[in-house]
């Protein structure tokens, strides 16, 4: 049961980030999004990924691996949109 709670929480967190990235992709806009959002998220995801691997937590390792990839894509979209605005 504990693992199920972890996986469900991970899914919600991942879907939240993906939803933000999807919105920026569709609108070609960064309006209302701090330039530090994905930088902070990416830094935290990498730190948590290292921690979760070292602590042996599969839930956190998988979650933070996916979050790291999603945040990298978010940084790409943010930069792409910023260049289009100029």
């Amino acid at each position: 049961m504990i693992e199920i709670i972890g996986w469900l929480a991970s899914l919600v967190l991942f879907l939240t980030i993906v939803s933000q990235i999807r919105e920026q992709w569709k609108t070609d806009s960064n309006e209302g999004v701090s330039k530090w959002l994905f930088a902070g998220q990416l830094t935290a995801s990498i730190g948590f990924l290292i921690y979760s691997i070292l602590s042996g937590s599969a839930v956190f390792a998988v979650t933070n691996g996916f979050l790291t990839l999603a945040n990298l894509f978010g940084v790409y979209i943010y930069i792409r949109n910023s260049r289009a605005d100029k």
Side-chain angles (χ1 to χ4, degrees):
M1 184 62 173
I2 293 171
E3 291 289 313
I4 292 172
I5 293 169
W7 285 112
L8 290 174
S10 295
L11 179 63
V12 169
L13 180 58
F14 182 71
L15 291 176
T16 301
I17 294 295
V18 169
S19 175
Q20 178 63 52
I21 295 168
R22 183 174 175 264
E23 185 65 25
Q24 286 176 257
W25 178 272
K26 282 181 13 184
T27 63
D28 291 327
S29 173
N30 294 328
E31 186 176 338
V33 178
S34 168
K35 66 182 176 182
W36 298 108
L37 171 70
F38 291 110
Q41 288 286 335
L42 181 59
T43 302
S45 292
I46 291 170
F48 278 126
L49 177 60
I50 293 167
Y51 169 80
S52 53
I53 290 169
L54 293 174
S55 67
S57 174
V59 172
F60 284 130
V62 171
T63 298
N64 288 300
F66 280 120
L67 287 173
T68 299
L69 294 175
N71 283 304
L72 284 169
F73 190 65
V75 168
Y76 164 75
I77 296 299
Y78 190 93
I79 292 169
R80 181 199 74 165
N81 290 350
S82 293
R83 287 182 181 164
D85 289 340
K86 292 181 180 183

